[in-house]
Amino acid sequence: MKTRTSATNRNADSSRRRTAAERTSRPPAATPPAQPPLSPRVQTVVVEDDREGQRLDNFLAGRLKGAPKSLIYRICRTGEVRVNGGRAKPDQRLAAGDQVRIPPVRLAEKGEAGPPPGGQLNRIEAAIVHEDRDFLVIDKPAGIASHGGSGVSFGAIELLRAARPRDTLELAHRLDRDTSGILVLTRKRSALTALQAAIREGRVEKRYLALVEGALPTARLVVDAPLRKSVLQGGERMVRVDEEGKPSRSRFSEVERYAGASLVDVALETGRTHQIRVHAQHLGHPLAGDEKYGDRAFNKAMREFGLKRLFLHAARFEFAIGERSYGFSAPLAPELAAVIDALQAQRATPSGAR
């Protein structure tokens, strides 16, 4: 009996040692990855009086700090965001008292960009041409979008918010990514609503410099052609002249004429997407460097004069709020001025001297 009891104890001790060894040799359980923080559950937010007229996407960006534009557009597109119980597009203007349903969202998605690179911040700060208590104005370089989204991590607004984290900055209007020149941002809600009202009522003067193919039929002309916007299957935006489009009006004035091209001043009476580019194409005098609406042979010819981008520059932006008038201007971007210098040099060169 004693022998059997001893053997049993030895077997039990051996089993315990094996179990302990197995526990020691097992790899530790994987720690679940940390999940990005969620915004509060479903929120229903009442639009305050000082948010009257604000775009829905900008309103959501203010409520969902750190949310990328792509996420905001997605939750609008899928109907998760509701205004007064109905679906709403990102560009819908809100009214005081509207009820906005905001779903819970992850504010840090996989692959989301981190802080903007220091070089980009330095570049955008160097572009500031004016700032006061109401406005911050930049001479936007070509290649920087007005805002992020559609594959662009940081637009001008995101970069400036990162550079000025204590400011409440909003875009008052937009410029295409390939267009350089004056871009106005506001620092106060009251300034934004006042300027946007001026834009809607046609009390803002926006003037551009563009290089077009050939010579205009007259030194001054008005293009009054409605524009219709469509989105192709790949997501690319295209605009065309269409009787069922939105009213669109541009005033073209010749500044200087060269061999095969003209520098023109364009004043916008409306602000449609790609308006100058499509109206110029409609005239039969497309913009130089325009890969979407331009002429391939003309673009090739202008590359010989050093043109490497769309020749379109927002040169001046004027408006008045109350008794105070504002006027912001930016000289032709250096890379475009160099093209003009080359065209002028060719014009001054006797025929056959080149």
Side-chain angles (χ1 to χ4, degrees):
M1 288 292 292
K2 288 181 180 178
T3 302
R4 285 197 299 272
T5 301
S6 178
T8 301
N9 290 341
R10 284 196 299 272
N11 290 338
D13 289 342
S14 176
S15 177
R16 282 195 295 270
R17 284 194 298 271
R18 284 196 304 271
T19 303
E22 289 168 358
R23 284 199 303 268
T24 303
S25 62
R26 277 188 203 134
T31 303
Q35 292 296 317
L38 280 171
S39 67
R41 293 182 177 274
V42 174
Q43 304 177 69
T44 300
V45 181
V46 178
V47 178
E48 298 178 353
D49 292 346
D50 66 347
R51 298 293 170 182
E52 173 91 34
Q54 187 175 27
R55 284 171 53 119
L56 176 60
D57 54 356
N58 292 332
F59 179 82
L60 294 172
R63 304 292 306 191
L64 301 172
K65 297 294 186 183
K69 282 279 189 179
S70 57
L71 175 59
I72 290 173
Y73 291 150
R74 186 172 74 241
I75 60 178
C76 291
R77 185 175 64 251
T78 57
E80 297 174 76
V81 173
R82 300 268 171 163
V83 176
N84 299 326
R87 297 174 73 107
K89 294 182 178 180
D91 60 355
Q92 177 174 322
R93 301 284 177 180
L94 298 174
D98 281 350
Q99 295 189 7
V100 181
R101 177 193 185 275
I102 305 176
V105 296
R106 294 207 176 275
L107 298 182
E109 297 187 314
K110 183 179 179 181
E112 182 183 346
Q120 289 189 22
L121 293 179
N122 293 338
R123 187 183 184 200
I124 204 69
E125 285 200 285
I128 296 173
V129 297
H130 172 87
E131 55 182 316
D132 57 29
R133 66 182 183 180
D134 294 321
F135 301 103
L136 188 151
V137 184
I138 66 170
D139 180 1
K140 186 186 79 66
I144 295 180
S146 293
H147 59 78
S150 301
V152 178
S153 297
F154 303 106
I157 182 65
E158 289 83 13
L159 292 171
L160 286 164
R161 283 171 176 166
R164 304 292 179 89
R166 295 184 180 181
D167 282 6
T168 305
L169 295 171
E170 298 285 354
L171 284 168
H173 64 115
R174 287 166 173 74
L175 291 179
D176 288 344
R177 182 177 182 179
D178 295 330
T179 303
S180 56
I182 292 295
L183 181 66
V184 181
L185 299 91
T186 59
R187 305 176 84 166
K188 293 169 61 177
R189 181 66 194 167
S190 58
L192 177 65
T193 55
L195 179 49
Q196 288 183 334
I199 292 172
R200 287 195 302 272
E201 295 164 9
R203 295 185 285 108
V204 172
E205 180 83 357
K206 293 182 284 184
R207 305 187 78 93
Y208 293 74
L209 288 172
L211 187 70
V212 302
E213 182 177 7
L216 299 181
T218 60
R220 290 180 177 83
L221 58 86
V222 175
V223 180
D224 193 348
L227 298 179
R228 186 172 184 177
K229 182 169 60 175
S230 60
V231 180
L232 303 182
Q233 187 172 3
E236 182 183 6
R237 291 184 302 174
M238 290 293 292
V239 179
R240 68 181 187 276
V241 172
D242 190 311
E243 291 182 358
E244 297 182 359
K246 294 182 178 180
S248 307
R249 189 176 170 92
S250 307
R251 289 183 279 122
F252 287 74
S253 301
E254 182 182 289
V255 176
E256 196 168 32
R257 189 180 298 183
Y258 317 103
S262 298
L263 181 66
V264 297
D265 173 284
V266 187
L268 294 184
E269 295 186 16
T270 55
R272 309 301 180 201
T273 299
H274 299 170
Q275 178 173 323
I276 294 174
R277 299 164 66 183
V278 179
H279 275 177
Q281 178 200 46
H282 180 65
L283 279 175
H285 300 277
L287 265 60
D290 192 339
E291 299 295 335
K292 181 173 290 190
Y293 304 106
D295 179 83
R296 183 177 299 178
F298 177 55
N299 290 342
K300 181 179 180 181
M302 290 301 102
R303 282 196 293 271
E304 295 180 4
F305 291 92
L307 183 63
K308 298 179 181 179
R309 49 159 283 209
L310 176 70
F311 199 119
L312 185 60
H313 180 76
R316 188 149 184 85
F317 193 100
E318 298 180 11
F319 61 95
I321 295 178
E323 297 182 354
R324 189 172 183 184
S325 297
Y326 298 85
F328 307 118
S329 60
L332 199 60
E335 66 274 17
L336 300 184
V339 174
I340 295 299
D341 289 343
L343 287 167
Q344 290 175 333
Q346 183 212 39
R347 186 179 59 183
T349 302
S351 179
R354 293 186 70 194

